[in-house]
């Protein structure tokens, strides 16, 4: 079992403002007393025992720490320190202050293709490095892609939040139903064995959003979104893609491949819809 620093994190860091919150996790700005440097502290509630449902499983957290230690890359957030108290573990992480790519897109509605290429190049450099070490993120989405400095002419991208990431071992079969509906691959929904391909599907969805401001599969409910993914119900609406190159659309189609069965399913569902409209 991994051992983390038993000291009190507050002896070394002054705890600051909340940057984000999630299930059993909170991210806060922290100020390193010895150097004056600012970091991001990810405070995680750990289950007290195997029967408890409150908090995260410690082995899940150990995998996140193991993965972060294994991937040092300019486009991936750096882990500096790990502290553990009775029911809480604190990851001290590199602080990125440029905000989420999501907000950057929202302010611009959508990006020039040249800007999207610059972002995708950095995202894929970080992702390619992870995949070369058989590590899969499994929660790629604009909220987990952050900018180091949004005012720089060419902001540096940092992949964050490895809470769902997994390191594959030779011949291992791994299934997971976790993730964010808009971005998850069909094999995640079907509980099929997973691979790096699940990340590449998310990259296809993110590229679609970067270029159009639209989310290709989003429905009014999560169930509708998941149904759209299963039947591959997406299209390059002319109103949003008229200025997009065929190269970019081809890139997306290779990442969100419509298989023959899915074309048949979609045709069947559209035939049903036609008969319904009569
Ligand atoms: C300035 C700022 C604002 C919000 C932040 C962060 C930084 C941040 C950071 C991290 C994580 C996991 C979440 C974070 N969040 C929460 C939202 C992330 N989608 C992190 O690892 N480093 C950060 O700077």
């Amino acid at each position: 079992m991994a051992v983390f620093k038993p000291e009190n994190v507050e002896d070394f860091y002054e705890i600051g403002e909340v940057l984000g919150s999630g299930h059993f996790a909170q991210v806060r700005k922290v100020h390193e007393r010895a150097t004056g440097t600012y970091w991001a502290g990810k405070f995680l509630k750990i289950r007290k025992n195997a029967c408890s449902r409150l908090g995260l499983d410690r082995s899940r957290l150990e995998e996140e720490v193991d993965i972060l230690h294994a991937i040092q890359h300019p486009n991936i957030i750096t882990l500096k320190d790990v502290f553990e108290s009775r029911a809480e573990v604190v990851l001290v992480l590199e602080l990125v202050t440029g905000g989420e790519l999501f907000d950057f897109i929202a302010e611009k509605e959508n990006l020039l293709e040249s800007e999207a290429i610059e972002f995708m190049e950095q995202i894929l450099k970080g992702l390619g490095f992870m995949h070369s070490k058989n590590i899969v993120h499994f929660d790629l989405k604009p909220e987990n892609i952050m900018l180091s400095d949004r005012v720089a002419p060419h902001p540096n991208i940092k992949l964050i939040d490895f809470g769902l990431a997994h390191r594959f071992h030779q011949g291992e079969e791994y299934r997971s139903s976790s993730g964010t509906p808009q971005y998850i691959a069909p094999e995640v929904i079907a509980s099929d064995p997973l691979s790096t391909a699940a990340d590449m599907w998310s990259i296809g969805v993110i590229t679609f959003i970067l270029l159009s401001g639209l989310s290709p599969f989003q429905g009014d409910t999560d169930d509708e979104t998941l149904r759209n993914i299963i039947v591959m119900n997406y299209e390059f609406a002319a109103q949003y893609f008229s200025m997009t190159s065929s190269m970019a659309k081809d890139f997306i189609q290779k990442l969100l491949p419509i298989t023959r069965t899915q074309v048949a399913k979609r045709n069947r569902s559209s035939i049903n819809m036609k008969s319904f409209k009569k």
Side-chain angles (χ1 to χ4, degrees):
M1 179 168 103
V3 176
F4 307 136
K5 287 182 175 177
E7 292 89 343
N8 181 348
V9 63
E10 296 198 56
D11 292 345
F12 300 88
Y13 298 88
E14 186 185 348
I15 312 303
E17 64 185 288
V18 175
L19 298 172
S21 300
H23 292 309
F24 310 121
Q26 189 176 64
V27 180
R28 301 181 74 128
K29 195 172 186 178
V30 298
H31 186 221
E32 186 176 15
R33 298 184 191 279
T35 63
T37 310
Y38 285 98
W39 303 86
K42 187 174 175 184
F43 294 73
L44 300 140
K45 293 289 179 220
I46 302 303
R47 283 190 192 139
K48 293 189 181 63
N49 55 58
C51 307
S52 166
R53 293 174 61 80
L54 285 177
L56 297 167
D57 188 71
R58 199 183 191 281
S59 60
R60 174 67 260 165
L61 182 86
E62 286 177 12
E63 179 161 29
E64 182 175 353
V65 171
D66 169 58
I67 283 169
L68 284 166
H69 277 142
I71 43 177
Q72 310 289 323
H73 186 276
N75 297 118
I76 296 173
I77 209 78
T78 305
L79 175 66
K80 175 184 190 305
D81 237 335
V82 187
F83 291 85
E84 180 167 16
S85 64
R86 197 172 44 76
E88 184 173 70
V89 170
V90 185
L91 306 187
V92 180
L93 296 146
E94 174 187 359
L95 176 68
V96 281
T97 55
E100 299 172 0
L101 179 58
F102 197 87
D103 298 324
F104 193 82
I105 307 167
E107 281 159 27
K108 293 197 150 194
E109 285 185 8
N110 54 42
L111 303 177
L112 292 174
E113 199 163 304
S114 56
E115 290 172 317
I117 289 170
E118 272 197 47
F119 283 129
M120 288 315 299
E121 190 179 10
Q122 292 189 61
I123 294 167
L124 292 172
K125 277 179 179 172
L127 193 61
F129 182 75
M130 284 171 52
H131 287 179
S132 73
K133 291 177 174 290
N134 299 316
I135 292 169
V136 185
H137 189 282
F138 285 132
D139 198 15
L140 288 176
K141 53 186 177 181
E143 297 91 327
N144 285 339
I145 299 169
M146 297 197 68
L147 308 180
S148 56
D149 170 3
R150 73 188 302 124
V151 294
H154 302 285
N156 193 49
I157 287 279
K158 295 277 181 181
L159 301 181
I160 66 165
D161 204 340
F162 288 74
L164 295 183
H166 181 69
R167 188 180 210 165
F168 281 83
H169 302 289
Q170 190 63 37
E172 176 195 4
E173 205 173 88
Y174 178 78
R175 291 171 162 85
S176 166
S177 56
S178 304
T180 305
Q182 282 183 68
Y183 306 95
I184 60 174
E187 60 269 27
V188 174
I189 301 169
S191 297
D192 287 342
L194 302 179
S195 69
T196 53
D199 277 350
M200 299 317 291
W201 174 280
S202 304
I203 290 292
V205 175
I206 291 166
T207 309
F208 190 105
I209 294 173
L210 283 180
L211 294 172
S212 67
L214 292 180
S215 186
F217 301 108
Q218 185 160 20
D220 294 335
T221 63
D222 283 351
D223 280 351
E224 194 180 324
T225 300
L226 298 176
R227 267 198 304 277
N228 288 337
I229 293 167
I230 293 293
V231 299
M232 292 298 294
N233 179 19
Y234 81 95
E235 59 179 357
F236 296 113
Q239 181 187 356
Y240 297 94
F241 284 91
S242 57
M243 303 301 285
T244 304
S245 70
S246 50
M247 176 192 69
K249 286 187 269 192
D250 180 59
F251 177 76
I252 292 169
Q253 283 172 317
K254 284 191 166 60
L255 293 165
L256 306 177
I258 300 184
T259 62
R260 274 192 299 279
T261 19
Q262 277 141 344
V263 170
K265 266 188 200 170
R266 187 165 68 171
N267 292 346
R268 268 200 307 278
S269 64
S270 60
I271 289 162
N272 293 341
M273 285 307 288
K274 279 185 194 128
S275 56
F276 175 75
K277 282 176 184 151
K278 273 180 191 156

